[in-house]
Amino acid sequence: KVLAIGNPFGYDQTMTHGMVSSLGRTLRTRNNRLIKGIIQTDAAINPGNSGGPLLDLAGKLVGINTAIFTRAGQNSGIGFAIPANIIRTIIPELIVHHRVLRPDLGILALQETSYGVRVVKLSPEGPAKLAGLQGPQVGLYQMGPFTIKGLNFNTADIITHVDNIKVNTSDELMTYVEKQKPDQIITLTVNRTGTILKIPVKLTVNSIN
């Protein structure tokens, strides 16, 4: 059994109760990233509960209320909380830096292929771009009597491995990167129009937290 404390709809110091419905859930966020290993609870969680604690009956922290699954924007008995053991790993950074220093690869968009993940968009001054990774190149295309300028995605690098670990999806790549530290160097194996290259990339600090 668990207790959720928060400010749903502006009603501060509100407590609801329920139980842990499941562990190890995966939730896709609005920016299409996956949060893994989260807690599912049926304790009533509504807008305003996010950031509040999920406690056991002894008052010990179980997790931080984070999201709900809903079709109407209100509680439907499926809430999610980030586990306390994950919170514990970021508290020291919050105390020292007042934010979490996340590593940044500098790749803004990826496309999954049967060979790996294709680089669709790079941050102009990001570490991947500075290391030499290439996205789609501009080319000229003939359409009837017209010549049109456009992007040729076939020329973009396809990332197949990171530090010799096979990459099949964008989530696999970004999950690996997020486990590293800023200023750490990782090696990307890329397929560039048939040529296999190994490109070291020095991660920087993500400015968006």
Side-chain angles (χ1 to χ4, degrees), residues 90-139:
I90 68 173
I91 290 298
E93 284 193 71
L94 292 175
I95 293 174
V96 175
H97 304 289
H98 307 291
R99 64 182 181 127
V100 179
L101 301 180
R102 302 184 188 278
D104 183 26
L105 183 57
I107 298 179
L108 302 179
L110 293 162
Q111 179 187 53
E112 295 177 7
T113 75
S114 56
Y115 306 104
V117 288
R118 177 181 284 114
V119 177
V120 174
K121 187 176 182 181
L122 291 163
S123 177
E125 300 298 328
K129 178 74 172 181
L130 296 177
L133 262 74
Q134 295 182 5
Q137 305 299 302
V138 176

Side-chain angles (χ1 to χ4, degrees), residues 61-191:
L61 182 69
V62 174
I64 298 294
N65 302 319
T66 302
I68 58 175
F69 177 84
T70 178
R71 301 190 187 282
Q74 300 179 13
N75 171 60
S76 58
I78 303 179
F80 300 101
I82 302 295
N85 60 341
I86 294 178
I87 300 299
R88 190 178 297 114
T89 63
I90 68 173
I91 290 298
E93 284 193 71
L94 292 175
I95 293 174
V96 175
H97 304 289
H98 307 291
R99 64 182 181 127
V100 179
L101 301 180
R102 302 184 188 278
D104 183 26
L105 183 57
I107 298 179
L108 302 179
L110 293 162
Q111 179 187 53
E112 295 177 7
T113 75
S114 56
Y115 306 104
V117 288
R118 177 181 284 114
V119 177
V120 174
K121 187 176 182 181
L122 291 163
S123 177
E125 300 298 328
K129 178 74 172 181
L130 296 177
L133 262 74
Q134 295 182 5
Q137 305 299 302
V138 176
L140 298 176
Y141 302 89
Q142 197 71 30
M143 295 188 66
F146 303 103
T147 300
I148 300 175
K149 181 184 293 186
L151 293 176
N152 183 358
F153 287 86
N154 292 326
T155 61
D157 288 342
I158 296 178
I159 301 172
T160 61
H161 296 76
V162 52
D163 288 340
N164 295 319
I165 299 173
K166 185 74 173 70
V167 171
N168 297 302
T169 67
S170 56
D171 280 317
E172 288 179 355
L173 174 62
M174 299 315 296
T175 297
Y176 182 88
V177 170
E178 288 167 1
K179 292 179 180 178
Q180 313 311 309
K181 297 292 184 182
D183 295 328
Q184 188 169 338
I185 296 176
I186 62 173
T187 300
L188 299 179
T189 303
V190 304
N191 184 329

